[in-house]
Amino acid sequence: VPLMTEAAARTALLRFASSKCCYGTKAAGELVIQELKPLAVYRYRLETFNESRLSEWAFEPVPAGRPRGAAAPPGTPRLPEPPPFRERTRRLRLPRTALIKECHGCHGHGRSKCSVCHGAGWTRCVTCKGSRRRLKQQKRCQLCSGTGRRRCNTCSGRGSKTCAMCQGEKKLQHFEQLVITWRNNVFEFVSEHQLDFPGELLSRVNGENVFRDENVQVYPVVDFPEPGISLASQRAVAEHRAALAASSRILQQRQTIELIPVTEVRCRHAGKPYVYYVYGLEKEVYARDYPARCCCRCALL
């Protein structure tokens, strides 16, 4: 476990206090550090990079320059190389699956009813609210010329607008596409520790890598000094194989074990004992009861 010096522990606490709007830094400088207790916490992570495929129907406006009813160009879609351990989704159009059908959005009219004026071509005047006169002056509204309504700006008074689905072409081209999804599934486990310390904080920091295994198929870790890590590795490998192997193709697996340094700092301030923790390679600080706070509403973490 990397050793923590008294100067580094005090610097980390000063940085922590400076980041809080209602924490005073004077107390951090006056603390009398009595003991630095290094602790070892291990984090196991298994990443399974898998590929899944499914086909679905989609549609688009009839492409310009292509005869209506023509099939998609023949050929086999070229599959891109999957990026390792990076999630991505690709959609590839399958050849010879194109069908020309009437647009179901406008029923083949090429235009659809305006959603603002509901096909009327006009809307109520916002100034007189349809009363044709100004409410306070009792004069004819000049904005609508006393009609109580104005031409709809969305459809320019037509009551309809170009269909957004077919873009006025009245027909849609339906085709089948292949959806390829690369997903990185992560299993994470942090070894048990007898600390007055929220365990979820350890997932936000980095540790020193002590073990790494990457292959198409990895095997569980055995005989690790921390028994909980070996058990977690066996459970993770079994869960990922059972959940992913049947419905997708596993491309790569990677398992790592990190040593997250945690230092328990015991000190005194104004004659009273006080404990705080410095954790992670970033030297983050957890101080549950910081001795110098001027506002009880401040977040502790």
Side-chain angles (χ1 to χ4, degrees):
V1 180
L3 297 178
M4 175 70 63
T5 64
E6 181 176 332
R10 191 181 301 276
T11 301
L13 185 61
L14 285 169
R15 186 178 67 252
F16 167 78
S18 300
S19 65
K20 304 296 180 180
C21 62
C22 298
Y23 283 24
T25 57
K26 184 178 179 181
E30 295 176 348
L31 287 174
V32 179
I33 298 178
Q34 297 178 321
E35 182 184 2
L36 298 172
K37 184 179 180 181
L39 305 167
V41 178
Y42 293 99
R43 177 172 59 205
Y44 171 83
R45 181 185 287 119
L46 172 65
E47 298 174 85
T48 301
F49 185 60
N50 70 309
E51 175 188 300
S52 60
R53 301 185 180 190
L54 59 89
S55 61
E56 64 180 14
W57 283 94
F59 60 86
E60 66 180 4
V62 177
R66 180 177 297 177
R68 298 180 185 273
T76 303
R78 186 177 181 180
L79 300 180
E81 292 293 332
F85 300 103
R86 291 181 56 190
E87 295 189 350
R88 184 174 297 182
T89 300
R90 289 287 181 90
R91 287 174 170 83
L92 300 176
R93 182 170 175 166
L94 297 178
R96 302 185 181 278
T97 60
L99 298 173
I100 303 298
K101 294 183 179 181
E102 184 181 85
C103 177
H104 56 271
C106 63
H107 303 287
H109 297 292
R111 299 186 67 85
S112 58
K113 182 187 294 186
C114 178
S115 59
V116 177
C117 65
H118 305 287
W122 53 269
T123 57
R124 189 174 61 172
C125 178
V126 296
T127 303
C128 65
K129 301 185 184 302
S131 64
R132 303 182 181 182
R133 296 181 179 273
R134 293 180 179 270
L135 299 180
K136 294 183 180 180
Q137 301 176 0
Q138 294 299 320
K139 294 181 180 180
R140 189 178 69 169
C141 180
Q142 298 178 355
L143 189 64
C144 63
S145 301
T147 60
R149 59 189 186 183
R150 299 191 64 193
R151 187 178 67 171
C152 178
N153 294 327
T154 303
C155 63
S156 300
R158 296 181 179 181
S160 63
K161 56 183 181 179
T162 303
C163 178
M165 285 189 179
C166 66
Q167 298 180 3
E169 295 292 334
K170 303 181 182 181
K171 293 182 180 294
L172 291 173
Q173 183 169 244
H174 296 255
F175 57 92
E176 193 174 4
Q177 64 181 1
L178 180 66
V179 182
I180 309 174
T181 304
W182 293 285
R183 183 171 288 108
N184 191 33
N185 305 269
V186 180
F187 177 96
E188 188 173 291
F189 172 81
V190 178
S191 62
E192 296 182 359
H193 53 84
Q194 302 298 326
L195 300 174
D196 187 12
F197 188 95
E200 60 270 14
L201 294 180
L202 297 176
S203 62
R204 307 173 188 174
V205 295
N206 294 317
E208 183 178 353
N209 196 290
V210 297
F211 175 79
R212 178 189 177 96
D213 179 23
E214 182 174 335
N215 211 324
V216 176
Q217 180 179 348
V218 298
Y219 293 92
V221 177
V222 294
D223 296 333
F224 194 76
E226 176 63 39
I229 296 295
S230 299
L231 294 176
S233 177
Q234 296 175 14
R235 186 172 74 251
V237 172
E239 288 181 0
H240 277 201
R241 289 179 184 174
L244 303 175
S247 59
S248 62
R249 184 166 65 102
I250 296 178
L251 302 177
Q252 196 80 358
Q253 287 188 309
R254 177 171 62 192
Q255 58 181 346
T256 57
I257 300 177
E258 293 176 276
L259 171 62
I260 304 177
V262 179
T263 301
E264 184 181 66
V265 184
R266 296 184 175 274
C267 50
R268 299 186 69 85
H269 178 263
K272 297 181 180 180
Y274 179 67
V275 177
Y276 69 93
Y277 297 91
V278 182
Y279 60 96
L281 297 180
E282 298 86 351
K283 293 184 173 58
E284 298 290 337
V285 171
Y286 172 73
R288 185 179 61 178
D289 299 317
Y290 187 73
R293 290 180 298 171
C294 61
C295 178
C296 62
R297 297 180 182 179
C298 291
L300 298 179
L301 304 181

